[in-house]
Amino acid sequence: MAELVQYLITGVGVGCAYALLGSGLVVIYRVTRVVNFAQGAVAVLAALTVTTLLAAGLPHGLAEGLGVLLAGAAGLLTGLVATGKPGTTPQAALIVTLGLGVLAYAVEILFWGDQPRSFPGLPGATAGVQTHYLLIASVTALVLAATAVLFARTDLGRALTATAEDPYAARIVGIDVARMGLLAFTVGGALGGLAGVLITPVQQVTFDSDVALVVNGFSAAILGNLTRPGLTLAGGLLLGVVQALAGGYWNTSYQTEVALIFMLVVLVVRAGRLSSVETA
Amino acid sequence: MIVEVRDLTVRYGAATALDGVTLSVAAGELVALIGPNGAGKSTLVNALCGIRRPASGRIDVRGRLALVPEGRHLFPSLSVDDNLRLGAWRRRERDTAHIYALLPELTPLRDRPAGRLSGGEQQMVALGRALMSRPDLLVIDEMSLGLAPKIVGSLVAHLRQRNAEDGLAVLLIEQNARLALELCTRAYVLEAGRVVAEGPAAALAGSPEIAAAYLGLEA
């Protein structure tokens, strides 16, 4: 029983990171129709930067905050490179983001080498749960709630939604569609960076950790058709928990595969139910 | 003049959509632009709004211009009120009260998602969204398309009132030539990218060729 609880907690922690990263993908996709596959690289970049900042003597909090800011800037840069040229299709932009992800490998190896790195998170345990997992879960809940409020309750959020729903109409009323896209890339990058910074104390990071992060984040986002943040959160948590259970009770080598196959089954079942509703 | 278009040519690749179009709208004027499908009416709208860049010619806009686009183009998941708020995005004005005063039909729809409204209600919201920016000239692209005569009538009544009370100028782009020539004082006829006729609406409506081609009457 104690084992199961521990696996669940670990799963929720990792799942939160997937959900954050996936939400970043959703924010970017909704506004620009681009799937940003550099999202995982942005998370890794933020995490590695924090290891260096902490080693340089910066206090916790500040170092992590700077890491997230850097991730936002990296997101903005990704957006500029991938969508800056007017008339770039979302498909072409997607390929550019893949390329940028590979470029990020070179930068990361150059600065940090190819060995796994980590940094300490919140120490200690609260009610038998490692405190850092509580931190991950509460920060995720807070940030995703704030993102939801941004979209639903602020004029900036309405303008982002308007751009997502009808770019032509957005231009007519004077919304700068290109700027909204870059803003989405920045917010998305910051969400990805936050995922990387939160997860690193409980799961070491290497230059190629981005693959697992972005594949899982993407799977989580796909559950919500890349447009629904609530379902993305559910998808992330589901993936994290299934992974933790597969790793705990069976074999850690296959946990990603098991979780992704599980997600595939969920998607197939859901698609079957949706189409049977449509034909009924 | 609020809008002056001179020798405007717009091309899509090798195809010429507008070929030397000259057109103007004065303050407080109601002007119709009629013509068949593919004449270049929507291209002209996009050029006026700065969405389509001309190959040559000049467009001078002196005053605020707002567009009610063909197909309405509302933001479907946002409420009517949010759609209105975004209408004055550039001017940073967010108080929608004056729109409900102008278009009282919108008051009961205030919190409904725009995507769930009927076509007529959506057209009213599109009109309100354009009025939000307090324009000097309203460019309306295919206002009556697919709407019941009663709804078109109330839209026209609102336009007449705004014109009489605030001096709002209107450039009405319509396939429904009868409606356009009734509402407006002056009109242009666009065919294959060229202005083929222009003048007082009454005179155009009385011309046998125009009547035969656009009003469904025998020449």
Side-chain angles (χ1 to χ4, degrees):
Chain A
M1 191 61 201
E3 259 181 357
L4 176 67
V5 170
Q6 187 53 47
Y7 294 151
L8 286 177
I9 291 165
T10 314
V12 167
V14 177
C16 282
Y18 297 156
L20 278 173
L21 196 121
S23 302
L25 288 172
V26 167
V27 169
I28 296 168
Y29 180 82
R30 270 176 59 127
V31 179
T32 66
R33 301 285 146 195
V34 175
V35 181
N36 177 18
F37 276 110
Q39 187 76 338
V42 168
V44 170
L45 188 69
L48 290 173
T49 303
V50 174
T51 63
T52 300
L53 293 178
L54 287 173
L58 260 69
H60 274 290
L62 180 62
E64 283 87 346
L66 286 174
V68 172
L69 278 182
L70 177 80
L76 173 63
L77 197 65
T78 307
L80 275 172
V81 175
T83 63
K85 186 166 172 273
T88 308
T89 63
Q91 292 80 2
L94 180 154
I95 300 298
V96 173
T97 67
L98 272 175
L100 287 172
V102 175
L103 175 69
Y105 279 9
V107 174
E108 286 154 8
I109 293 174
L110 191 68
F111 283 104
W112 291 283
D114 59 358
Q115 292 307 301
R117 283 167 177 257
S118 187
F119 54 84
L122 267 190
T126 310
V129 180
Q130 278 175 270
T131 315
H132 191 78
Y133 282 106
L134 296 177
L135 178 75
I136 295 178
S138 33
V139 170
T140 302
L142 213 67
V143 167
L144 292 186
T147 311
V149 168
L150 168 79
F151 269 92
R153 296 263 178 268
T154 69
D155 281 325
L156 186 61
R158 291 185 188 103
L160 284 165
T161 303
T163 307
E165 292 193 340
D166 195 332
Y168 174 75
R171 283 180 73 175
I172 287 173
V173 299
I175 294 170
D176 187 333
V177 170
R179 192 180 292 179
M180 288 296 147
L182 293 178
L183 181 67
F185 266 99
T186 309
V187 172
L191 286 170
L194 187 62
V197 167
L198 284 174
I199 197 76
T200 303
V202 296
Q203 192 171 296
Q204 288 187 322
V205 65
T206 55
F207 72 95
D208 59 357
S209 303
D210 70 309
V211 177
L213 281 172
V214 80
V215 166
N216 284 294
F218 181 69
S219 312
I222 277 288
L223 187 70
N225 286 333
L226 280 167
T227 50
R228 299 177 60 185
L231 281 174
T232 303
L233 174 61
L237 293 177
L238 202 62
L239 275 166
V241 167
V242 174
Q243 270 185 26
L245 293 177
Y249 288 114
W250 186 32
N251 190 330
T252 50
S253 316
Y254 303 129
Q255 56 184 11
T256 303
E257 289 76 2
V258 169
L260 290 179
I261 289 168
F262 175 78
M263 186 54 98
L264 196 62
V265 172
V266 170
L267 287 172
V268 168
V269 169
R270 204 170 64 110
R273 275 180 41 198
L274 284 179
S275 60
S276 66
V277 169
E278 273 163 23
T279 45
Chain B
M1 289 298 157
I2 296 184
V3 164
E4 240 177 323
V5 176
R6 258 177 216 290
D7 282 326
L8 181 71
T9 298
V10 178
R11 294 199 180 90
Y12 295 98
T16 302
L18 289 178
D19 188 3
V21 168
T22 294
L23 169 153
S24 64
V25 182
E29 203 180 12
L30 299 172
V31 177
L33 179 70
I34 60 176
N37 264 333
K41 302 191 298 288
S42 293
T43 304
L44 182 67
V45 170
N46 286 335
L48 281 176
C49 299
I51 289 172
R52 173 62 55 178
R53 211 190 283 187
S56 66
R58 284 179 61 96
I59 301 175
D60 287 315
V61 179
R62 296 178 208 94
R64 261 193 300 277
L65 181 154
L67 171 66
V68 181
E70 181 179 358
R72 307 184 264 276
H73 282 279
L74 299 179
F75 306 114
S77 82
L78 297 181
S79 70
V80 166
D81 199 51
D82 285 344
N83 270 274
L84 295 180
R85 287 164 71 89
L86 287 173
W89 176 258
R90 212 182 322 228
R91 297 188 58 215
R92 300 176 186 283
E93 185 181 331
R94 301 290 178 258
D95 184 8
T96 53
H98 69 285
I99 298 299
Y100 296 106
L102 297 179
L103 310 174
E105 298 95 321
L106 293 180
T107 309
L109 308 175
R110 190 186 172 103
D111 298 318
R112 302 253 307 270
R116 301 254 181 89
L117 303 179
S118 72
E121 291 167 336
Q122 288 192 356
Q123 190 62 282
M124 200 63 82
V125 178
L127 178 62
R129 186 177 69 182
L131 290 174
M132 248 319 264
S133 63
R134 299 182 190 273
D136 303 301
L137 169 67
L138 207 54
V139 179
I140 310 181
D141 196 0
E142 302 295 359
M143 178 179 76
S144 71
L145 202 65
L147 298 183
K150 188 172 167 231
I151 293 158
V152 175
S154 66
L155 287 163
V156 165
H158 280 304
L159 289 180
R160 283 214 165 98
Q161 200 180 359
R162 296 282 54 77
N163 175 255
E165 290 175 13
D166 313 329
L168 175 72
V170 174
L171 177 61
L172 190 67
I173 291 120
E174 269 285 342
Q175 282 202 45
N176 183 344
R178 187 181 304 277
L179 168 79
L181 294 178
E182 265 172 32
L183 172 66
C184 297
T185 49
R186 214 154 56 79
Y188 294 85
V189 181
L190 195 67
E191 280 179 14
R194 292 187 181 173
V195 173
V196 295
E198 63 175 286
L204 285 177
S207 129
E209 294 89 14
I210 303 290
Y214 296 105
L215 302 176
L217 303 174
E218 291 298 318

